[in-house]
Amino acid sequence: MEALIERYKVHSPRSRALYERALAVLPGGTTRTSVFYAPYPLYIERGAGCRVWDADGGERIDFNGNATSQIHGHGHPAVAEAVRRQAERGVSFGAPSEAEIRLAEVLCERISSVEQVRFTSSGTEAVMYALRVAKAFTGRRKIAKCEGGFHGAHDSVHVNFAPVAPAEPEDRSGVRPESQGMSGYEETVIFPFNDTAGAEAILEQHGKDLAAVILEPVPGSRGCLPPDPVFLTMLREVTARLGIVLIFDEVMCLRVSYRGAQGRYGVTPDMTTMGKIIGGGLPLAAFGGRRDLMALLDPSAGPPVIPQTGTFNGAALAAAAGTAAMEALTPEAFDRLEKMGERLREGLSRVFRRREVKAQVTGVGSMFRVHTTDRRFETLRDTAYGDRRLSQQLFFGLLHRGILPFASGMGCLSTPMGEAEVDAFVGAVDETLVEDMGF
Ligand SMILES: Cc1ncc(COP(=O)(O)O)c(C=O)c1O
């Protein structure tokens, strides 16, 4: 490992200098925890298509895509043109604009649960508002979330996300905050992903107090595990029966099909949160759902039950970029992404078998994750058993071989990619295993 870090340092002196400069003004030299890795992260200077260049000129294929948001890579012609045109006309106004109506129409047309939608600047806010709607609608205080699910930084959901130690108790409903300084999270109930009977028992137990059940139908950052359709159907049935608002957090997994994860698996929640790809790379997110739920935000007949604030909600620039990006995401574009995702997962599985490495790849559509364990995954807790050292070696091996992945082992595809880029990823993993790790 030390040798790989030394090699990394030799190739990144300017990133190191930027990091040292940043330390004076940004805690840890960055502005979000997820982009930091030791000894210091690469600082990116520019991107074009599916490639990015770091401060030292190193070129890499971008399998990170700013945490899966850049589904068209960098500088997609239609998105860039929409941004240029809107920038010339004004980027945001203290008034609604047609740009936000157009994006709202695209989302309402595609996503089955979304009869009406409201915009925010981040997925965190979208989740916060969806939960607020559910609480106001039901008059209940508690919510339930999946162990291992990620829903942003809001106090009630920033819990039980990180890998749990294998020794942790099997009781899955206990809540564990991921940060100090939070409050109110004690009202959150935890249930296991894909464990249909276990989750159902927990939801039945707390049912009359629960305003919302929230989950990523395809968990992203944590596991990239495909959902068991029986599990999703159970959640739909139980929440409907107990009067709980079912929220699909599709901030990340909307990218698994033209109609999102709910379209792919044929389960329609009451509300959906969206983000990342819907902003075309700019900060924009949304929550939407049934008309009677969204009516709580309607100010046209007097003060609304839920006043929504947010200076940049649906800002014209982001809405224009988002509309262009979504319109370029045709069913054909999703077919291509799907095929490339399959090619990548098959290629990696072949490599792990051939090199006899205890590793596996999971994923759906254009999302994937490498896990450094051969454990059989039943719930997201099982993904916590990876070999951290092996994961780190793979990460630095890939960085060295022209690939920008997530430090977590996750990755995503973008529309400018083709088979050559997918094969480059698989080849870089194989080379790392052989040349850097002696498999
Ligand atoms: C599923 C999910 N929900 C919510 C969020 C939070 O979104 P944001 O980072 O825009 O606040 C994320 C971000 O990664 C996410 O993946």
Side-chain angles (χ1 to χ4, degrees):
M1 192 62 226
E2 293 67 30
L4 302 195
I5 302 275
E6 275 317 305
R7 182 177 69 188
Y8 173 80
K9 287 182 181 167
V10 168
H11 288 93
S12 56
R14 191 152 154 66
S15 275
R16 184 186 188 137
L18 286 171
Y19 171 67
E20 281 164 4
R21 179 174 147 207
L23 282 177
V25 285
L26 296 162
T30 70
T31 199
R32 54 182 153 153
T33 307
S34 62
V35 296
F36 178 82
Y37 45 87
Y40 52 84
L42 290 176
Y43 285 68
I44 302 296
E45 207 160 79
R46 70 185 176 93
C50 61
R51 290 182 160 69
V52 287
W53 285 264
D54 69 30
D56 292 281
E59 175 180 330
R60 289 180 185 76
I61 308 172
D62 187 1
F63 285 87
N64 179 306
N66 189 15
T68 75
S69 59
Q70 301 279 7
I71 198 165
H72 293 301
H74 306 276
H76 182 282
V79 178
E81 175 58 16
V83 167
R84 196 188 57 73
R85 249 187 300 128
Q86 189 62 52
E88 284 170 359
R89 298 157 60 94
V91 295
S92 73
F93 313 102
S97 72
E98 189 175 350
E100 68 196 61
I101 305 175
R102 287 175 55 215
L103 182 56
E105 286 168 346
V106 171
L107 297 175
C108 291
E109 189 278 317
R110 288 193 191 190
I111 310 304
S112 63
S113 65
V114 180
E115 291 179 343
Q116 289 196 312
V117 67
R118 275 286 181 95
F119 294 111
T120 60
S121 297
S122 71
T124 291
E125 291 166 274
V127 166
M128 179 188 81
Y129 274 113
L131 293 173
R132 193 170 286 175
V133 168
K135 288 180 184 173
F137 189 81
T138 59
R140 301 172 181 173
R141 294 164 61 97
K142 285 191 175 182
I143 63 145
K145 84 170 273 282
C146 263
E147 181 179 59
F150 184 68
H151 305 291
H154 181 244
D155 284 15
S156 60
V157 285
H158 195 49
V159 298
N160 299 61
F161 161 64
V164 287
E168 211 157 291
E170 273 303 300
D171 169 23
R172 295 179 184 270
S173 60
V175 67
R176 180 172 43 81
E178 296 291 355
S179 165
Q180 296 200 16
M182 300 189 347
S183 59
Y185 57 84
E186 301 85 354
E187 307 266 30
T188 301
V189 170
I190 308 299
F191 62 96
F193 182 78
N194 264 358
D195 172 357
T196 303
E200 185 170 7
I202 290 171
L203 298 181
E204 295 272 3
Q205 184 193 336
H206 295 274
K208 66 176 188 347
D209 299 322
L210 288 175
V213 164
I214 184 166
L215 81 157
E216 297 176 82
V218 179
S221 341
R222 186 69 182 84
C224 271
L225 289 194
D228 179 348
V230 175
F231 173 71
L232 293 183
T233 307
M234 176 280 290
L235 290 178
R236 181 61 288 184
E237 186 276 315
V238 170
T239 50
R241 178 158 49 79
L242 299 175
I244 304 167
V245 176
L246 179 62
I247 305 172
F248 276 6
D249 182 353
E250 298 216 28
V251 166
M252 187 180 280
C253 66
L254 200 75
R255 61 155 52 229
V256 301
S257 94
Y258 183 76
R259 298 192 184 282
Q262 57 203 266
R264 184 172 183 126
Y265 296 102
V267 176
T268 303
D270 302 304
M271 296 193 78
T272 301
T273 52
M274 297 160 277
K276 302 205 191 269
I277 64 169
I278 68 165
L282 275 79
L284 183 140
F287 62 101
R290 273 188 357 231
R291 202 170 282 275
D292 58 337
L293 290 161
M294 296 304 287
L296 302 189
L297 297 133
D298 181 353
S300 62
V305 176
I306 299 179
Q308 190 197 351
T309 64
T311 303
F312 294 109
N313 292 353
L317 188 71
T323 305
M326 291 304 286
E327 284 174 348
L329 281 174
T330 57
E332 295 71 37
F334 280 103
D335 282 349
R336 274 193 73 241
L337 288 168
E338 185 76 24
K339 289 198 181 90
M340 288 196 292
E342 281 309 308
R343 185 182 179 92
L344 183 131
R345 284 184 285 274
E346 281 165 18
L348 285 178
S349 301
R350 257 197 315 276
V351 165
F352 295 143
R353 268 197 310 276
R354 182 169 357 118
R355 303 296 174 200
E356 297 180 3
V357 187
K358 284 192 176 169
Q360 60 184 302
V361 58
T362 57
V364 174
S366 59
M367 294 161 58
F368 65 94
R369 182 172 166 134
V370 172
H371 302 265
T372 48
T373 171
D374 57 0
R375 189 182 175 94
R376 192 165 159 265
F377 294 150
E378 280 167 7
T379 72
L380 285 175
R381 181 176 288 199
D382 295 310
T383 66
Y385 291 75
D387 175 340
R388 280 177 62 84
R389 192 175 156 81
L390 184 59
S391 302
Q392 261 195 317
Q393 286 172 319
L394 268 177
F395 176 66
F396 282 100
L398 290 177
L399 282 185
H400 185 65
R401 292 175 174 81
I403 304 288
L404 183 71
F406 289 57
S408 68
M410 201 193 155
C412 63
L413 305 177
S414 60
T415 56
M417 289 180 183
E419 291 183 352
E421 283 77 19
V422 168
D423 295 348
F425 188 98
V426 175
V429 169
D430 196 26
E431 259 187 38
T432 301
L433 290 170
V434 174
E435 294 174 8
D436 290 354
M437 294 153 70
F439 275 99

